[in-house]
Amino acid sequence: MTSMISSLTHGGSKLPWVSITLAATSLVLFAVFGGKPEAFIYDRELIENGEFWRLATGHFVHLDHQHLLMNAGALFALGFLYETSPHGGARRLVLGCFILSGSLISFALFLGDPKTQFYCGLSAILNTLYVVTMVAMWRETRSRVWLVGLGLLIAKTGYEALFGSILSDNLEWPPHIGAHLTGILAGILLFVFGLFEMALSRLRRSYVGALRPSQAC
């Protein structure tokens, strides 16, 4: 375990600044506006009336302090693992997780689930970051522990779809399984896009190398 922690932290940045900034945004919003602030939650009726910012801000506000602390703590833990590890990825990919998954989740709710009137919280986006982190760590280390971690998320989501929430029984609004599944899907899409980008990069290098005249001495 010590060697694993050492390999994850050796040579990396000291702090996951992107994740800290995103978590701090949720903390500040809660400190200023409290739980489920009417001005920022996903509210379908108001979005239909033109308040489109709620498609983005709904992810950063929370129901209560329990909801906030669970999500902010998970974001910091995943961000620390991903941003400070040499096996992780560029910091911009954390923002990519938020932008892609946040957009997919919001539009999946708005276009695919007209029965959902209200929504808020980071948990669905965290599923995207979780998938990306587990896959990135597995690809670089080939340690099965990361695949087990990925399997646990899928098992948890499946259990909650069938039997209800595991960790959020006390929340006023139950977790939205569709949003959580969309978050997992966004993580898979980011992984596939990453493979595609790598393949294009290798093809580009091979093509450039083939065009260079050979040198002999």
Side-chain angles (χ1 to χ4, degrees):
M1 179 63 71
T2 302
S3 62
M4 180 183 294
I5 295 174
S6 176
S7 69
L8 290 175
T9 57
H10 178 66
S13 303
K14 291 184 179 180
L15 289 173
W17 287 113
V18 174
S19 300
I20 287 175
T21 301
L22 293 170
T25 300
S26 286
L27 291 168
V28 170
L29 286 171
F30 186 84
V32 175
F33 299 102
K36 57 176 183 180
E38 294 183 1
F40 299 112
I41 61 171
Y42 173 100
D43 184 322
R44 183 179 186 84
E45 182 178 351
L46 294 178
I47 292 170
E48 291 175 341
N49 290 331
E51 298 186 8
F52 300 116
W53 67 82
R54 296 173 180 275
L55 293 169
T57 59
H59 297 291
F60 288 94
V61 293
H62 293 80
L63 295 171
D64 53 33
H65 69 279
Q66 176 190 353
H67 191 207
L68 171 70
L69 292 177
M70 283 194 302
N71 283 344
L75 174 57
F76 180 80
L78 288 171
F80 180 85
L81 185 61
Y82 189 80
E83 290 188 52
T84 66
S85 168
H87 303 311
R91 293 177 186 269
R92 67 179 182 274
L93 293 183
V94 178
L95 289 174
C97 285
F98 270 74
I99 294 171
L100 174 64
S101 63
S103 299
L104 284 177
I105 292 161
S106 293
F107 285 107
L109 287 172
F110 190 73
L111 299 176
D113 188 7
K115 293 182 180 179
T116 297
Q117 181 69 31
F118 304 108
Y119 176 85
C120 68
L122 282 170
S123 54
I125 291 180
L126 290 176
N127 281 354
T128 304
L129 184 57
Y130 187 97
V131 170
V132 169
T133 300
M134 295 299 107
V135 172
M137 297 300 171
W138 174 77
R139 284 186 59 202
E140 295 298 327
T141 66
R142 296 297 173 177
S143 173
R144 294 180 181 177
V145 67
W146 306 114
L147 294 181
V148 172
L150 182 59
L152 288 174
L153 173 65
I154 295 172
K156 171 183 175 293
T157 305
Y159 179 92
E160 291 183 335
L162 294 173
F163 304 109
S165 175
I166 296 176
L167 301 175
S168 307
D169 288 338
N170 297 327
L171 295 181
E172 183 178 348
W173 299 345
H176 194 288
I177 298 301
H180 288 194
L181 289 173
T182 304
I184 293 174
L185 174 62
I188 295 172
L189 289 175
L190 279 171
F191 169 63
V192 172
F193 178 77
L195 291 179
F196 181 69
E197 188 177 30
M198 287 175 58
L200 281 180
S201 178
R202 290 175 182 174
L203 182 63
R204 192 180 301 114
R205 288 197 299 268
S206 299
Y207 179 74
V208 172
L211 291 178
R212 290 176 180 172
S214 59
Q215 296 180 354
C217 52

